[in-house]
Amino acid sequence: MENQTFSTPERENGFAELGSYAAIGEGRSVALIAPDGSIDWWCAPNLDSKPLFDRLLDPQVGGYFQIVPDAPYRVTRQYRENSNVLETQFETESGCVRITESINSTLAGRLPWSELVRRIEGIEGQVKLTFHLRFGTAAETRSPWVADSHQGKVFHIAKVMAMVRTSEDVEIDYLDDEKVTGRLLTSPGSRSLCALLISENEPLAVPELASIDKRIETSDTAWRDWVNSLSYQGSFPELVKRSALSLKFLWYSPTGALAAAATTSLPEGIGGEKNYDYRYAWVRDACLIIKAFVYLGALEDSKAAFSWLSQTIIRHGVNLRACYTLKGDAVPEERYPALAGYMGSQPVRVGNNARDQVQLSMFGDMLATAQLFISAGHVLDLTTSRMLGELANSCADNWRQMDSGIWELPEQYHYTHSKMACWLALDRAVAMAESQHIEPTWVGRWKRERDRIRDWIETHCWSEQKQAYVFYVGSEQLDASLALTHHYGKTVNPDRMLATYQAIRKELGNDSAMLYRYSGAEKEESTFLACSFWLVEAWAALDENDLAQQSMNEILETFNQHGNVDIFNEMFDVRSNSWRGNMPQGLSHLALICAAQEIKQEK
């Protein structure tokens, strides 16, 4: 990781830049930390819990936990090598201090409670630090209160219990039901600790401070051990490892589910209405993350995620929902808490109405992932095998429908990407049946339907005028998600697919590698990172390795020039050179990994 350096970063109307946040996590929750030492987002104890800290969406009433010098400073941050333990160094005129931050785990996995810890070490001179903690009220739906216990003060936030633990040199100036303030003076060699312990609907463990401190190093070892087990051998080892570590933030260890992102309502365009809740498991996103884990050689993660996804589909039936909760339940309907929204972007949404949409591309996502899972050496159980056959039959029955497409739009059309994904679903089903991984009873039908889909696409989805496959039948618009369907293009019509990719780069990227999702999207949102990496992967898959390498270099140069190169948001605004959308975004990180995997190394 390259260091991030800021000089006394300022907030705009109380908001920090989205691209300036770093993340810490432990496989159950994710906290986001601004350069000014403020944890502005933490849903605890789970990724989809109500937030304890939500200053990210409302600086006036949102909760936060900040440790920062009380004088002007210069701040530099980096993750430890091959780890998600974060180190931040503050330099003032009077001295230098390092803060090491972690949500702790053990070598055997997550703790049965949440343990967020901040170690403060004096490096040079003396630095005065201030300590501010304010619990969030979840848009005024709960009211924190504090009570005495034999172990000290315990905060109650609805069903959550929280305890602030500090070393003796941290002076607490004020404490009430909602907040704690204090201060600390560091000196060379000093070592202090501030920790926050969390439980929900169960007793709260209160370990010794020395044990909490030691677990920072245990957590670091666990991260490093996981990275060292990965098998990627390509040309971008550091970028791939960092994206792999970001994907691990989204792997929800209690179930094996994969969240799309760790946040809700971060805008795709400032002031716009596209502010969605991504703290759920989308079939599409989960399948693509599993693909990335397979490429990385992350056996345990890919197996757990594939098993969770298969079992969830079996539980709910093969009429696939677009997304599920991290426990495998139906996602709640959208509601709109009374929060200001990031930079005033309304509405703030909790829940996601995409749950009810028809998205035919999920058939292709699931069956292609199953084929990849098998090719990596895994063996299907009978129940999963039968479910895959049922999915293939459902795809054969339903591919002729209109749907909402991969982008979950309210308008239903015959989206080209959806039809190509259905072709892929049946093509993969045929391959698995012929290799005896799923029941071959219907393989003849699957072949015939696959070929009908191909003929339908070639007849209805190609534009002679545009010299490209179009967004949907009857339009002359383009769709960057067709970069995901390179297998269809390579098998059916490579020339048409290559022409489509050239048109996508020209129209949706303005002749650059940074792509908007579809024609007209630039009016209300920013470039979509995953699309840019998907096109890199597609170029390489179609043996255009020079174009793939060129595009990869363009993307990485854009990131290096303009902020965070470690935690990717969903989008990047090339007009203001700023990051947009929810984060850490699984699609963005997995797409980098898959692009890096596909690019052929120079000999």
Side-chain angles (χ1 to χ4, degrees), residues 407 480-481 483 513 515-517 528-536 591:
W407 302 127
S481 75
L515 304 179
Y516 292 96
R517 292 190 294 165
F528 197 85
L529 270 63
C531 290
S532 298
F533 287 122
W534 288 341
L535 189 56
V536 172

Side-chain angles (χ1 to χ4, degrees), residues 460-525:
H460 297 286
C461 300
W462 173 259
S463 167
E464 283 295 332
Q465 177 183 341
K466 208 79 169 183
Q467 284 296 292
Y469 292 112
V470 294
F471 189 8
Y472 53 85
V473 176
S475 79
E476 290 292 314
Q477 296 176 299
L478 299 181
D479 175 13
S481 75
L482 294 187
L484 278 173
T485 61
H486 52 78
H487 181 71
Y488 172 91
K490 191 167 187 176
T491 304
V492 173
N493 200 323
D495 291 340
R496 280 188 169 186
M497 192 56 88
L498 283 170
T500 299
Y501 293 156
Q502 293 285 8
I504 285 172
R505 178 182 168 94
K506 182 177 181 180
E507 181 170 318
L508 303 186
N510 296 314
D511 275 329
S512 82
M514 301 299 294
L515 304 179
Y516 292 96
R517 292 190 294 165
Y518 47 82
S519 300
E522 71 280 359
K523 297 175 183 177
E524 54 185 5
E525 60 186 54

Side-chain angles (χ1 to χ4, degrees), residues 255 290 301-312 373 381 384:
T255 64
I290 292 167
D301 308 270
S302 59
K303 191 276 176 189
F306 185 79
S307 295
W308 176 85
L309 185 56
S310 298
Q311 290 163 9
T312 301
F373 190 71
D381 61 285
T384 301

Side-chain angles (χ1 to χ4, degrees), residues 135-184:
F135 291 108
T137 62
E140 315 292 21
T141 62
R142 54 191 188 181
S143 189
W145 57 279
V146 67
D148 290 317
S149 79
H150 66 285
Q151 287 279 33
K153 302 286 188 182
V154 176
F155 293 88
H156 298 263
I157 308 99
K159 297 178 181 179
V160 171
M161 295 173 65
M163 179 175 282
V164 179
R165 298 271 285 157
T166 65
S167 50
E168 292 182 356
D169 54 349
V170 177
E171 298 183 34
I172 301 299
D173 297 326
Y174 183 83
L175 186 152
D176 66 12
D177 287 324
E178 296 183 7
K179 63 185 177 182
V180 184
T181 64
R183 49 200 162 91
L184 171 67

Side-chain angles (χ1 to χ4, degrees), residues 388-449:
L388 294 171
E390 291 175 11
L391 282 179
N393 281 332
S394 185
C395 177
D397 287 338
N398 293 293
W399 70 266
R400 298 172 186 270
Q401 292 184 40
M402 293 184 179
D403 74 333
S404 294
I406 187 175
W407 302 127
E408 301 176 347
L409 298 174
E411 303 85 7
Q412 289 200 341
Y413 292 113
H414 289 296
Y415 289 100
T416 302
H417 172 269
S418 296
K419 304 307 183 189
M420 289 184 176
C422 287
W423 176 93
L424 178 64
L426 296 181
D427 186 67
R428 298 297 82 194
V430 168
M432 286 186 283
E434 291 180 340
S435 56
Q436 299 183 332
H437 293 291
I438 64 176
E439 188 176 347
T441 301
W442 307 282
V443 70
R445 189 211 176 183
W446 295 341
K447 287 182 178 180
R448 294 191 299 274
E449 291 292 347

Side-chain angles (χ1 to χ4, degrees), residues 20 24 129 169 189 243 267 294 307 309 337 357 372 508 565 568 577:
S20 69
I24 54 175
L129 298 166
D169 54 349
S243 277
V294 169
S307 295
L309 185 56
Q357 287 187 342
L372 182 65
L508 303 186
V565 294
F568 292 165
N577 294 322

